[in-house]
Amino acid sequence: MTTAAKINQPAVALAIGTVLKYIDEDSEREGLWNTPDRVAEMYGELFAGVGRDPADEIDAIFSEDVTPDPVIVRDIPFYSMCEHHLLPFFGHARLVYVPHRHIAGISKIARALDVAARRLQVQERLTAQLADAVLGRVQPLAVACRLEAEHLCMSMRGVRKPGHRVITTAARMNTAAETADCAAAYSRRDLLDMLAV
């Protein structure tokens, strides 16, 4: 994703300059001359998902030769920013969905994850937003996702435990009347077990 958020870059640059001043850093030093502007530009990229609906990225939907066999996508990398400390968390996502009448272009699922991740986030909400985007746009019988990430707010500060992994899951069943019986064939546990392999 290359779209940058429409943030007020001059105001962000000014704020970063103020932060540098108040952490007792010599902002006149050569290495910091353009740092506020670089950070403001970077924030435009890191927060490019603000105000966007992840489901809108799933715009390649196919309806031909669809079978109700699970589709599993593994090891999709993501990077996001913890809203509590403004430090990154990053890892990989896995997703399984059981098609009903449609399948999605696989790259579109990765794009939906990118849009949801490129904002101030918590991992639990990011996991739910990905599952909800696929459920809402593809309308499968069932969908589940699993995110595994390291949080720099826990690795480099506070308890300082680098290498840890936080795992979150979300599972959704299609409750529409015409799909309820088929969706019942898969339990939440079945879906999550598929993601554990």
Side-chain angles (χ1 to χ4, degrees):
M1 176 178 23
T2 57
T3 306
K6 291 180 176 34
I7 65 170
N8 185 336
Q9 289 192 359
V12 171
L14 182 64
I16 296 299
T18 302
V19 168
L20 290 174
K21 175 182 174 184
Y22 286 106
I23 60 173
D24 202 27
E25 186 57 72
D26 177 11
S27 57
E28 297 304 312
R29 184 160 62 76
E30 181 183 15
L32 295 177
W33 284 350
N34 294 315
T35 296
D37 292 329
R38 283 191 296 268
V39 171
E41 185 177 338
M42 175 189 69
Y43 279 0
E45 183 179 341
L46 294 181
F47 302 126
V50 172
R52 295 173 59 197
D53 184 349
D56 290 344
E57 298 301 312
I58 306 173
D59 59 2
I61 306 286
F62 306 99
S63 302
E64 222 175 85
D65 300 324
V66 174
T67 64
D69 298 314
V71 175
I72 301 171
V73 186
R74 295 182 48 180
D75 301 325
I76 309 168
F78 71 89
Y79 302 87
S80 194
M81 189 72 81
C82 171
E83 67 184 32
H84 300 137
H85 294 98
L86 298 182
L87 286 171
F89 66 95
F90 57 93
H92 288 87
R94 295 178 179 185
L95 181 133
V96 58
Y97 74 94
V98 182
H100 177 48
R101 294 184 179 144
H102 312 288
I103 56 173
I106 298 301
S107 68
K108 304 305 183 171
I109 292 171
R111 287 178 191 267
L113 175 60
D114 279 347
V115 167
R118 292 194 176 269
R119 61 185 73 183
L120 294 175
Q121 240 339 337
V122 294
Q123 186 174 330
E124 296 85 347
R125 184 171 60 233
L126 176 58
T127 309
Q129 287 174 344
L130 179 59
D132 291 341
V134 173
L135 182 66
R137 187 62 64 160
V138 185
Q139 300 176 359
L141 297 173
V143 61
C145 57
R146 177 182 192 266
L147 272 61
E148 185 171 336
E150 180 171 351
H151 292 244
L152 291 187
C153 58
M154 188 171 162
S155 297
M156 63 184 288
R157 59 155 301 281
V159 296
R160 295 188 180 108
K161 300 296 180 199
H164 72 278
R165 292 290 178 265
V166 175
I167 298 171
T168 51
T169 60
R172 306 286 188 264
M173 302 297 173
N174 191 333
T175 57
E178 75 272 8
T179 63
D181 290 339
C182 296
Y186 292 93
S187 71
R188 175 183 171 85
R189 178 81 267 146
D190 293 334
L191 296 169
L192 296 177
D193 284 350
M194 286 184 231
L195 294 177
V197 176

